[in-house]
Amino acid sequence: MSNENPNTPAVEPNDFIRETVRQDIASGKYKVPVTRFPPEPNGYLHIGHAKSICLNFGIAREFGGQCNLRMDDTNPTKEEVEYVDSITTDVKWLIDGWADHCFGLKPAGKTPDAQTVNGKKDFFLPAIVGSHSSLVEPFYASDYFDQIYEWAVELVKRGKAYVCDLSPEETEAYRGAPDKPGKDSPFRNRSIEESLDLFTRMKNGEFPDGKRTLRSKIDMASPNIWLRDPLLYRIRHSAHHHTGDKWCIYPMYDFAHCLSDYIEGITHSICTLEFEVHRPLYDWILENLDLPRPLPHQYEFAKLIPSYTIVSKRKLIQLVNDKVVTGWDDPRMPTISGIRRRGVPASALRSFAIGVGVTKFISLTDMAVFDHAIREDLNKRALRRLAVLRPLKLTITNLFPHHYEELDAVNNPEDPGTGTRKIPFGNTLYIEHDDFMESPPPKFFRLKPGGEVRLKYAYIIKCDEVVKDASGKVVELRCTADLDSKSGGATSGRKIKGTIHWVSAQHAIDVEARLYDRLFTVPEPDAEGDFKANLNPHSLEVVTAKCEPSLVDASPDLRYQFERLGYFTLDSDSDIEPPTPSQRKLVLNRTITLKDTWAKIEKKQ
RNA sequence: UGCCUCGUAGUGUAAUGGUAGCACAACUGACUCUGGAUCAGUUUGUCUAGGUUCGAGUCCUAGCGAGGCAGCCA
């Protein structure tokens, strides 16, 4: 399957961050932009991350730069290799064929080189860009622990940092409040030598967790809380997924992030709004270390908040642990892996993630916009197939029971190059149960007693008889066909308002169709109260669908449209290589329904 | 009661002192062997009050509203 978006926008996106990048390149501040996508490996990537990925990689590709993937792994108690792997897979999938040529990775196992620049000591770890080699891997902030430690020592030597013995509770009390200045720590003015000694001993594991910290020395009275001598290092006797048990002290986000950016030569460090108040600290750290190369700068944008779902990692993990969904990649999840499994092409997700724009205004993005992006993409590429989700038997009484013919069906009217296929037709069919109503409301132009309808690619039929079982349920329709009305036939031009899909009962294959719907029933599930009270009880319905036989060859790389129903994709629960085609177990996920004007009319009536 | 940020149709997003546009949604209609797609059209907007200016969504002031910040999380 081509990963190219069939609707690549003619105009490149523009926003306040790109504006800055443009100016920085024009002024010669940087030669090319180097961005990074820095997730913490403590959960799966979701649709909100997709926006960030598209922003960072988008800037890289538009300005001839690069974008590094970096694990922001400075907290050993929360991070796992499973998440590193899923993140890497998801990023690759999302940018494949679009920005993989500016994907910055590093040689496996490589850490920064010490070098001298303009007479100053420096650490630098350049990326390998656009490599598909297996000898490259993502960057890890934890690969910089040696360098970050050295810089911490440097800050102490410059009198810009000190070891503090305050307990966590005392530290909090000393910090003050947003509208109340803090108080200096009693350890703030201890000697450089003593801090150096204590910091070394912290590193050597002489103290238990929480006993001491390394703090910057800035201003306890600052109106910005993040400038009130924020912590640089804490003690954590805990193994790390990437560095093992080498360390028992770990740098805080604020200290590690700006320096990681610097080491990789990042120019524009883009993050979400909640880090806005951290920016002065980001700058303070870099400016107080006398670094020889150009410094990175931080820019903030509003994260994506989609309606009818949640993106909080804590809540997502709860859905997984409580088995509300089958896993992180359940097609109802807003995770990138879930979206992928649902059958959404990467190009559709990108189109959405780019289309929502980049601002500093926190907004709720209507999921209908994503739905539209998916349909727009899939409409262009999906192979049309006939399938019936809820079968109703239909017998054509003026054809013999052994009647057999093959009809031509178009694979994709949006793409004539995909040609046609043959579909079998006989006197016994299945049609969609919804396509028949015994006493329909006005404007229902499908089948009704005595009414006529076109069978797609086949004949116009008339409903003569409705057969019911003992309970009164309709179990069969007996119809006569206008035998001259076959597509291309003598009376094929007759105007019939309705056209319905069907499959030949004798030739149809059974498929497990998983019909997914949105996971929540309200636009903002976690606005108030327990978000799980807003779960949609009908978010998954499983039916055995009757499909045209060509689907035995269904491929996970292709997308299908079941005509008049929706878009489907092969799920990984299917057999890929069965002993014989007829033994193949097929599971299809409904990616999204087609737009349904009738449902809207029906609702109004 | 501190600091920072943000307010443009229902939703999201443009307009960089010069005709408020686009997308989604909604609604009409055309076309249709997918009630899909496509095409044409309609409805709805600059938070408020002052000021600067020939001219303000844009600049200034004040107000109102929303959000963020007091993890040894990121």
Side-chain angles (χ1 to χ4, degrees):
Chain A
M1 179 181 68
S2 162
N3 205 12
E4 282 306 303
N5 186 344
N7 312 293
T8 304
V11 287
E12 293 287 7
N14 196 19
D15 51 69
F16 73 99
I17 296 178
R18 286 176 165 91
E19 204 59 56
T20 302
V21 172
R22 190 169 292 117
Q23 284 168 16
D24 288 347
I25 302 304
S27 73
K29 183 172 177 183
Y30 307 109
K31 264 180 77 181
V32 293
V34 182
T35 56
R36 102 266 93 111
F37 174 63
E40 182 187 16
N42 68 343
Y44 277 60
L45 259 26
H46 55 66
I47 189 169
H49 295 110
K51 175 176 174 177
S52 178
I53 293 168
C54 289
L55 211 210
N56 281 293
F57 281 91
I59 287 172
R61 68 188 286 279
E62 288 154 35
F63 296 92
Q66 67 184 69
C67 178
N68 294 355
L69 171 62
R70 178 166 79 226
M71 300 301 151
D72 205 357
D73 53 354
T74 56
N75 185 353
T77 62
K78 290 189 173 179
E79 297 146 6
E80 293 174 27
V81 172
E82 177 198 350
Y83 298 129
V84 171
D85 295 341
S86 74
I87 287 168
T88 308
T89 300
D90 289 348
V91 170
K92 280 184 178 160
W93 173 76
L94 186 56
I95 68 167
D96 182 48
W98 177 69
D100 42 341
H101 60 286
C102 39
F103 191 7
L105 296 162
K106 61 145 180 130
K110 180 99 175 122
T111 55
D113 289 325
Q115 51 189 246
T116 303
V117 179
N118 300 332
K120 296 171 184 169
K121 188 164 189 184
D122 193 28
F123 299 110
F124 187 38
L125 181 52
I128 292 186
V129 182
S131 169
H132 290 273
S133 156
S134 58
L135 301 175
V136 294
E137 64 176 2
F139 292 87
Y140 292 84
S142 57
D143 277 337
Y144 313 146
F145 284 172
D146 283 316
Q147 291 73 35
I148 292 170
Y149 177 81
E150 211 169 298
W151 273 318
V153 169
E154 180 64 23
L155 279 183
V156 176
K157 286 181 180 166
R158 287 165 182 253
K160 301 283 188 182
Y162 60 98
V163 170
C164 181
D165 301 355
L166 253 25
S167 70
E169 297 72 29
E170 290 166 327
T171 306
E172 189 184 332
Y174 274 71
R175 187 153 36 223
D179 56 346
K180 271 204 328 268
K183 268 192 320 191
D184 282 2
S185 161
F187 306 97
R188 195 173 204 261
N189 290 318
R190 85 159 122 218
S191 74
I192 289 173
E193 291 68 30
E194 191 183 3
S195 278
L196 246 21
D197 174 60
L198 256 13
F199 190 43
T200 305
R201 292 166 59 192
M202 278 169 63
K203 179 192 166 202
N204 292 342
E206 292 187 28
F207 312 116
D209 288 8
K211 186 69 181 171
R212 292 184 221 270
T213 57
L214 182 74
R215 292 232 253 165
S216 57
K217 191 187 285 189
I218 309 180
D219 177 11
M220 289 305 291
S222 171
N224 183 336
I225 284 174
W226 291 100
L227 257 22
R228 320 239 262 229
D229 289 10
L231 272 58
L232 266 23
Y233 265 92
R234 78 283 216 187
I235 301 170
R236 275 258 208 292
H237 291 271
S238 175
H240 185 280
H241 74 96
H242 191 65
T243 60
D245 50 15
K246 178 176 178 184
W247 296 89
C248 64
I249 57 171
Y250 292 91
M252 299 288 292
Y253 164 83
D254 289 293
F255 193 50
H257 203 90
C258 53
L259 292 172
S260 302
D261 284 344
Y262 176 77
I263 287 172
E264 293 173 24
I266 302 301
T267 58
H268 301 264
S269 181
I270 301 166
C271 60
T272 49
L273 247 27
E274 64 265 32
F275 294 101
E276 203 157 30
V277 285
H278 295 236
R279 196 194 323 143
L281 177 56
Y282 183 103
D283 293 336
W284 183 92
I285 293 166
L286 294 174
E287 286 164 4
N288 280 278
L289 279 168
D290 196 25
L291 302 166
R293 286 179 294 117
L295 302 181
H297 290 279
Q298 178 183 303
Y299 304 88
E300 310 87 13
F301 71 100
K303 67 181 170 193
L304 172 65
I305 305 173
S307 62
Y308 292 99
T309 190
I310 52 167
V311 285
S312 145
K313 273 187 195 172
R314 207 191 84 245
K315 289 172 182 170
L316 251 20
I317 208 166
Q318 207 176 321
L319 293 179
V320 174
N321 290 341
D322 295 355
K323 307 249 188 286
V324 172
V325 294
T326 57
W328 284 101
D329 68 343
D330 185 297
R332 291 165 292 183
M333 290 284 270
T335 52
I336 291 182
S337 53
I339 289 168
R340 176 171 61 237
R341 187 170 179 186
R342 181 149 71 101
V344 176
S347 52
L349 179 52
R350 288 199 305 266
S351 165
F352 167 70
I354 294 166
V356 293
V358 178
T359 67
K360 302 187 80 155
F361 180 60
I362 299 168
S363 57
L364 219 216
T365 297
D366 195 340
M367 263 304 197
V369 180
F370 187 34
D371 292 347
H372 177 262
I374 298 169
R375 291 191 179 107
E376 186 177 49
D377 190 304
L378 255 16
N379 176 49
K380 296 272 196 308
R381 71 166 84 214
L383 263 15
R384 311 297 132 123
R385 294 292 182 261
L386 296 188
V388 172
L389 262 19
R390 296 173 182 84
L392 172 60
K393 186 180 174 189
L394 184 150
T395 305
I396 298 175
T397 53
N398 58 337
L399 289 176
F400 292 112
H402 59 267
H403 180 89
Y404 176 78
E405 61 185 304
E406 287 184 334
L407 304 172
D408 289 311
V410 175
N411 283 326
N412 184 355
E414 303 289 327
D415 183 2
T418 55
T420 61
R421 68 191 184 285
K422 298 285 187 188
I423 47 176
F425 179 82
N427 92 316
T428 308
L429 312 173
Y430 291 118
I431 66 163
E432 204 67 56
H433 219 297
D434 287 352
D435 284 338
F436 173 80
M437 282 185 92
E438 201 167 10
S439 40
K443 290 186 190 164
F444 178 85
F445 39 86
R446 277 116 92 150
L447 243 202
K448 58 184 175 186
E452 280 189 314
V453 79
R454 155 78 65 185
L455 294 174
K456 177 88 179 176
Y457 298 125
Y459 303 90
I460 294 168
I461 54 164
K462 183 177 182 185
C463 177
D464 304 315
E465 191 186 344
V466 179
V467 183
K468 298 179 184 177
D469 66 9
S471 69
K473 189 181 151 213
V474 176
V475 292
E476 183 188 350
L477 266 19
R478 298 180 66 79
C479 306
T480 45
D482 172 353
L483 297 176
D484 291 327
S485 67
K486 189 164 93 172
S487 302
T491 54
S492 69
R494 276 177 59 199
K495 288 290 175 211
I496 296 292
K497 191 68 176 161
T499 299
I500 64 173
H501 59 277
W502 53 272
V503 292
S504 165
Q506 193 192 334
H507 307 93
I509 58 170
D510 283 354
V511 158
E512 176 179 330
R514 297 179 180 169
L515 310 179
Y516 293 104
D517 197 356
R518 47 178 55 138
L519 234 198
F520 294 93
T521 55
V522 297
E524 296 180 83
D526 55 358
E528 56 188 44
D530 178 16
F531 73 102
K532 286 168 87 174
N534 299 316
L535 280 164
N536 176 7
H538 310 295
S539 61
L540 170 61
E541 186 186 354
V542 181
V543 299
T544 301
K546 297 285 186 184
C547 301
E548 65 166 82
S550 70
L551 253 351
V552 282
D553 298 325
S555 158
D557 296 330
L558 294 174
R559 298 290 174 269
Y560 301 94
Q561 183 200 99
F562 289 178
E563 295 216 29
R564 304 210 307 133
L565 295 172
Y567 296 98
F568 287 78
T569 196
L570 194 68
D571 187 78
S572 50
D573 285 347
S574 306
D575 296 330
I576 298 299
E577 287 177 31
T580 69
S582 60
Q583 288 178 299
R584 188 177 189 194
K585 181 195 175 195
L586 289 167
V587 179
L588 279 284
N589 295 330
R590 182 173 70 194
T591 309
I592 195 164
T593 60
L594 251 32
K595 268 171 75 177
D596 190 349
T597 308
W598 167 245
K600 215 179 288 178
I601 296 169
E602 202 177 22
K603 207 173 168 184
K604 271 193 281 188
Q605 290 174 346

